[in-house]
Amino acid sequence: MGRKRHKNAANTISGGNIYGPVVQGRRITVGHSPPATPALRGLPPATPTFTGREPELHLLLDLLDPSSAGAGPVTAMVAGLAGVGKTELAVQAAHTAQTRGWFPGGVIFVDLHGYDTARQVPLAGALEGMLRALGFTAAQIAADAEGRARQYASTLAELAERGQRLLVVVDNASSAEQVRPLLPADGTNRAVITSRHTIGGVDARLLELPVLPPDGSVDLLARALRVARGAEDSRLRDDPAAARTLAKLCGNLPLALHIVAALLADDPSRNPSSMADDLADAHARLDELEREDRAVRAAFHLSYRHLSPPHARLFRLLTVNPGPETSTEAAAAIADLDVRPARRDLEALARAHMVERGSAYGRWRMHDLIRLYADEQRIRRTSVSGNDLVHTCADTEDSDEAFNRLLRYYTSTAERHSRAVYDRPAFPAPSAREEALAWLDVERPNLVASIAAAHRSARWHETYALTRAITQYFEYRHHCDDGLRTHKLALEAAEHLGPAELCWAENRLGNACRIAHRYDDGVRHLQRALQIAETDGLNRIRGAILHNLGLTYFRKGEHIKAASCHRKDLKICSATGDVSGMAQTLVALGDAYRALGHLAQADNCLRLAKETFALLADPDGSAGAFSNHGLTFLAANQPLRSLIELSKGLKLARDSGNRHGEALDAMNIGIAYMTRCVYCYRDSAIHWLQLATTLAHELGDQYLQAKALRNLARAYLVSGEVQRARKNWQQALSILNSLGLPEAEEVQGELANLSGNTTTIKVGCSKPEEKRIHELFKRVPYRVLRGDPMEIRQFGGVWLLESSED
């Protein structure tokens, strides 16, 4: 049976989204939801204190720019530490994008409170709020989260098709499940997520937000105070040093900076210096960074209680490392884990932004304020009861044992790497030594801090053992301050141990004093060590003490005493069969004979030392022997032979990574060129002396730097460059005065002898002598080489200096 069609029937469905069955009938019109209105009114205002984020804002805007469509994800994720300013950056970018007309449909903003269990917004609630922002009424919104998600996605897609592109800002997300249904899937609309975690499973471009730069932190403080109190409040302008200190104590964290500015605004009579004094106490700093409306500790706690128990335990225990960074291996020792699971836990903490990646792969650090918070949790664990924090005593044995494990790890690893540096036969591969030095260089701050922490906790054996493990490294690298500091602590620890430990500690502290040019202190400690060794029959260490005492007497200019000490040491080495010690003593004895003018005896000692080191395959020992032999030839007025020996020593020092030896040889090569003929070899002398000055400065050896500067001044003076000479002498004088060394008087006299540009010094060789040297070179497998820059090349099996432009 057919149906009669009415010619006036009109059934129209247009625009909008209809969910459920559609009933068609005569003159029935099905309407749709009202047009979506811009949702910009839901976006928080942009604060006037925003500063220091120009690079990050530029990058985020580049990701939101519609003209970049198709170039990558349409979602940006801003992740970072609690209080670092993620929300503010997203809001600033959203306002800027809206001003530029990029999102005519508006901006939807939703705060999920993902880390606050009391305020966390469920998915259905978030979708309801976003649909309302899009113009839906309560009756039009689906009852369940699944239906709301379909409504939301379809509406965003339709708006995009109509040219009403939107930006969605999802703030404070904590998981992919929480955020994924809120993101546009149409490829046109854009979204920004902020989170304390680096959330996986979301197709988003990651922007990890660091703390503010120092200047930006000071500017934020000033802006926030100006907004609160007006431009007439000049407290921060009047005390810029205090402003910088406040920024540093806040760790450049925007949340902390805003709290400090608010506290200053609360009390106009409070000056920034007094607040800095209050914040200087690390144990009370988090208490000070608190106000009724916000607190750094509370912000961190929301992140902390989101951690799993194993991650929270590692987070707490990491603070037992007193140094600035922790390696994955050290973290594994602290937590009593294998390296791989420790790495995975650290990566999880990094994704939660409770730790930061350090200076290289496999190294980790904590923000200063996060570290204080973690230390609080380690000392007194915090549990949550309702909305209140309940503090309970932590298991201190866990922390104590964690620190013990760390000390054992540092001591055993430092011992192993020290053997790689100094025991060459046991580690024949050159890469082993480079790896060992690299580890010691990187871990030095941690090792020094751990020795101090072990001493503070009366761990006498651990203090002594760790210092002993790295003492040769400090000497090798000439880390004078670290050497003095740690050996003083080791000596105090040794007082609680025994005579052998006490003797060793006195010996090594005396040697550290020598390296730091504190010769009188060095003699005092070494004589006490010698007395303990003789009293307790510690014959093996007695020779090492005499060796160090002889080196110290040499530095004091008491060369007869130095030679006497080395002769006694030589007898002990011979009696005990210590071949390596004998070779080292011969080098030192040869140097003492040179200073006494006994050049033939010096020559014999150094030749025998070179032969012995060659048999031992010891490049470091050989380098020192060649260098001292070069000085012996220089004292004998044989600068050419001196250059040959010094060049060999330089090459050996470079090959073995001995930068201090390289600096010393470079200075002596410059002096040798000056001795040979400063007029003829002026450029070469200046080149090597400048190199020595640079290396000494990089190594932190101020005394060597001053010596190089003095000789550089003499080279410039002979060239008639009086102003340059005066400048170098003044620099040398400043260094020597700061060190309190008597050589300062000599430099002062050298400066006093300068008289305008007319100073003349008689140096170098005569022209006939230069001609005779050229004739001599025709009969030997060497040639006279000049020029600048210089490099080392080999001729006839002997290393000499040659211009690279030969």
Side-chain angles (χ1 to χ4, degrees), residues 382-445:
T382 305
S383 60
V384 182
S385 176
N387 292 326
D388 299 323
L389 301 183
V390 180
H391 298 292
T392 59
C393 292
D395 182 3
T396 55
E397 291 183 3
D398 194 21
S399 295
D400 288 343
E401 185 52 38
F403 186 44
N404 290 336
R405 288 193 297 267
L406 178 68
L407 290 174
R408 287 195 294 270
Y409 164 74
Y410 277 147
T411 302
S412 62
T413 312
E415 287 174 345
R416 175 164 55 85
H417 286 309
S418 292
R419 287 195 301 270
V421 174
Y422 303 105
D423 189 1
R424 295 308 298 274
F427 291 83
S431 59
R433 188 177 213 207
E434 294 172 6
E435 179 184 343
L437 282 170
W439 186 90
L440 290 164
D441 287 339
V442 169
E443 295 293 353
R444 176 168 62 96

Side-chain angles (χ1 to χ4, degrees), residues 463-544:
T463 302
Y464 171 83
L466 184 51
T467 304
R468 182 161 186 156
I470 57 175
T471 184
Q472 286 181 296
Y473 164 73
F474 284 151
E475 181 176 347
Y476 183 81
R477 287 296 202 210
H478 267 69
H479 293 308
C480 301
D481 292 340
D482 287 342
L484 284 174
R485 188 181 307 117
T486 55
H487 284 96
K488 285 179 181 177
L489 297 179
L491 178 59
E492 292 178 16
E495 298 279 0
H496 300 270
L497 299 176
E501 291 84 356
L502 188 60
C503 184
W504 181 91
E506 289 280 13
N507 176 38
R508 283 302 179 176
L509 179 55
N511 200 45
C513 289
R514 173 184 65 83
I515 294 170
H517 314 294
R518 296 172 56 172
Y519 306 126
D520 289 339
D521 290 339
V523 168
R524 177 169 52 84
H525 287 292
L526 289 166
Q527 285 179 339
R528 186 182 176 202
L530 191 60
Q531 182 182 7
I532 296 170
E534 291 172 346
T535 301
D536 291 272
L538 304 173
N539 293 325
R540 182 170 292 275
I541 195 174
R542 183 166 167 265

Side-chain angles (χ1 to χ4, degrees), residues 6 8-13 22-30:
H6 198 286
N8 293 324
N11 298 284
T12 304
I13 300 175
V22 178
V23 180
Q24 295 187 12
R26 185 177 180 183
R27 296 190 179 278
I28 294 176
T29 300
V30 181

